[in-house]
């Protein structure tokens, strides 16, 4: 079934406000989830909302806080998220970091004791739209096996970078695993197999069964290179955010544990340089018009296809599993059947 942006935002914010999030905090969290759906990444979209709601109900998320931030150095903001909603804590920190970068040229923050952020692209794109280069790093539970190994000991450790241009910012958002665990969960929830090479099962054997992969380990992308980058980001996030290392991280994929992963954001102010912005845009156009290997599929710059999907979703809505949409509707306190169940 197809759902409009307006309907998805309305339902999501209602569910969060019913659980004592302020209207503003609910809007921030809902927007991150719905944007992921509209850009064609349901693994980071509304399928995560029931878990967020359960975590609020169990006291693992405080939907009212924006965290506590302290400038540990002139350009280094240290943030204790105080179990707040990930996007809410990040939005508050980013506002301060971006303002500081206007004066100092660069500023960063390390966030601990916060919750899952969703797509990192959302945050770096926000930084880039203000005319600054944005960089985001995050950690996760141990989900990725090292190159040459079979047991999960690294996080998927995503990295996102956005650079402003004369047109829209160019945005790169990638995990250092072949895929995110959220994508494997999405395949499992919809009864789909996964491509060979994505993951191994608990016994260390390659598998195409999404359910078995959830209990195993994701492969690092690019073999040894992806493993090395994932390791570097693992250590960098833990050092700057003061957060747990992946084997000890909990709380991004469950509704039982306090979330103790880390996040790092960097804002770099490059000043108003119209000539540079035009030069960057011209380069991107050159890339787009380069000769494709398949004449029917033009070359795209990172973020192009997500932007195209979003534009289409604004007009036509986005596809969502009817079972998930019904489940979300059933979670509303205004739904009598849910209210009776909740009262029990």
């Amino acid at each position: 079934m197809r759902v409009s942006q307006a309907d998805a935002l309305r339902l999501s914010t209602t569910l969060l406000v019913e659980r004592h999030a302020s209207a503003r905090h609910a809007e921030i969290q809902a927007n991150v989830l719905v944007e992921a759906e509209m850009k064609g990444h349901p693994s980071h979209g509304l399928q995560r909302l029931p878990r967020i709601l359960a975590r609020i109900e169990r006291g693992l998320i405080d939907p009212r806080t924006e965290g506590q931030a302290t400038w540990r150095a002139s350009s280094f903001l240290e943030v204790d998220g105080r179990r707040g909603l990930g996007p809410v804590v990040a939005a508050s920190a980013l506002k301060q970091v971006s303002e500081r970068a206007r004066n100092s040229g660069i500023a960063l923050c390390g966030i601990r004791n916060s919750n899952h952020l969703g797509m990192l692209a959302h945050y770096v794109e926000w930084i880039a739209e203000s005319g600054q280069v944005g960089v985001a790093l995050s950690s996760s539970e141990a989900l990725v096996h090292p190159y040459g190994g079979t047991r999960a000991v690294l996080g998927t450790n995503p990295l996102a970078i956005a650079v402003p241009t004369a047109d829209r910012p160019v945005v790169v958002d990638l995990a250092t695993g072949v895929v995110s665990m959220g994508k494997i969960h999405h395949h499992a929830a919809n009864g789909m197999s996964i491509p060979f090479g994505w993951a191994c099962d608990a016994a260390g054997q390659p598998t195409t069964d999404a359910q078995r992969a959830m209990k195993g380990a994701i492969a690092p992308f690019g073999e040894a290179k992806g493993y090395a980058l994932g390791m570097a980001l693992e250590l960098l996030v833990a050092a700057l955010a003061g957060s747990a290392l992946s084997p000890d991280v909990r709380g991004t994929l469950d509704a039982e544990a306090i979330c103790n992963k880390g996040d790092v954001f960097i804002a770099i102010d490059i000043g108003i340089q119209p000539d540079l912005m035009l030069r960057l845009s011209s380069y991107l156009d050159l890339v787009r018009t380069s000769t494709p290997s398949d004449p029917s599929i033009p070359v795209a710059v990172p973020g192009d296809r997500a932007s195209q999907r979003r534009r289409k979703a604004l007009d036509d809505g986005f596809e969502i599993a009817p079972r998930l949409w019904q489940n979300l509707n059933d979670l509303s306190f205004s739904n009598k059947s849910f209210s009776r169940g909740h009262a029990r």
Side-chain angles (χ1 to χ4, degrees):
M1 64 180 292
R2 299 195 76 81
V3 173
S4 71
Q5 178 192 37
D7 285 345
L9 287 172
R10 188 178 303 114
L11 177 57
S12 302
T13 53
T14 295
L15 290 168
L16 289 158
V17 168
E18 286 177 341
R19 288 157 179 83
H20 308 297
S22 69
R24 178 174 170 273
H25 288 183
E27 181 181 353
I28 292 171
Q29 174 67 75
N31 188 57
V32 169
L33 299 176
V34 174
E35 279 291 305
E37 295 282 358
M38 295 179 66
K39 291 178 178 178
H41 297 283
S43 61
H44 286 65
L46 292 173
Q47 76 170 25
R48 293 182 178 263
L49 184 53
R51 185 182 299 126
I52 292 170
L53 301 177
R55 290 180 62 79
I56 293 173
E57 291 172 354
R58 296 175 186 181
L60 300 171
I61 292 178
D62 178 354
R64 297 170 296 275
T65 186
E66 296 183 354
Q68 182 177 32
T70 305
W71 286 102
R72 198 168 92 183
S74 61
S75 295
F76 185 6
L77 185 67
E78 185 176 51
V79 181
D80 179 347
R82 295 196 165 184
R83 304 197 323 276
L85 290 162
V88 171
V89 174
S92 176
L94 281 177
K95 185 174 184 296
Q96 298 177 69
V97 166
S98 181
E99 289 174 352
R100 184 61 59 96
R102 292 259 175 256
N103 298 319
S104 62
I106 185 171
L108 66 88
C109 66
I111 302 175
R112 65 179 181 276
N113 195 21
S114 184
N115 282 275
H116 194 267
L117 290 171
M119 286 181 64
L120 292 188
H122 179 83
Y123 306 96
V124 294
E125 192 169 12
W126 182 84
I127 296 172
E129 285 172 350
S130 69
Q132 298 173 329
V133 173
V135 180
L137 321 171
S138 191
S139 59
S140 76
E141 290 90 341
L143 300 169
V144 178
H145 65 73
Y147 178 63
T150 60
R151 187 169 66 89
V153 292
L154 291 94
T156 51
N157 300 345
L159 163 69
I161 301 171
V163 181
T165 73
D167 302 310
R168 68 170 184 81
V170 61
V171 180
V172 176
D173 184 356
L174 53 88
T176 52
V178 170
V179 292
S180 69
M181 183 55 80
K183 187 165 286 189
I184 291 178
H185 277 232
H186 175 70
H187 279 65
N190 290 279
M192 300 185 295
S193 61
I194 61 173
F196 186 83
W198 272 18
C200 59
D201 61 19
Q205 297 301 309
T207 184
T208 59
D209 185 320
Q211 294 286 352
R212 291 166 67 95
M214 288 168 57
K215 299 176 182 178
I218 299 168
F221 89 89
E223 299 184 330
K225 292 181 179 179
Y227 163 50
L229 179 59
M231 176 66 74
L233 297 180
E234 177 91 34
L235 299 174
L236 186 60
V237 170
L240 293 177
S243 54
L245 290 160
S246 289
D248 297 319
V249 169
R250 301 292 183 273
T252 74
L253 293 168
D254 66 68
E256 289 79 41
I258 292 173
C259 189
N260 59 348
K261 53 83 181 173
D263 310 306
V264 172
F265 293 101
I266 306 171
I268 306 168
D269 196 286
I270 55 178
I272 300 174
Q273 302 181 57
D275 290 345
L276 173 61
M277 299 295 101
L278 288 170
R279 188 154 55 89
L280 296 178
S281 291
S282 295
Y283 168 70
L284 297 178
D285 289 340
L286 174 66
V287 173
R288 292 184 180 101
T289 56
S290 60
T291 305
S293 57
D294 182 343
S296 66
I297 305 175
V299 174
V301 165
D304 279 355
R305 294 192 173 98
S307 181
Q308 291 166 5
R309 288 190 291 265
R310 186 183 188 281
R311 286 196 297 270
K312 188 175 189 306
L314 283 172
D315 295 329
D316 305 330
F318 56 85
E319 194 70 27
I320 188 170
R323 181 175 56 182
L324 172 58
W325 186 248
Q326 184 60 53
N327 180 35
L328 291 173
N329 277 276
D330 290 344
L331 290 174
S332 175
F333 291 161
S334 61
N335 181 299
K336 291 182 180 180
S337 62
F338 175 79
S339 296
R340 288 197 298 271
H342 186 72
R344 290 198 298 271

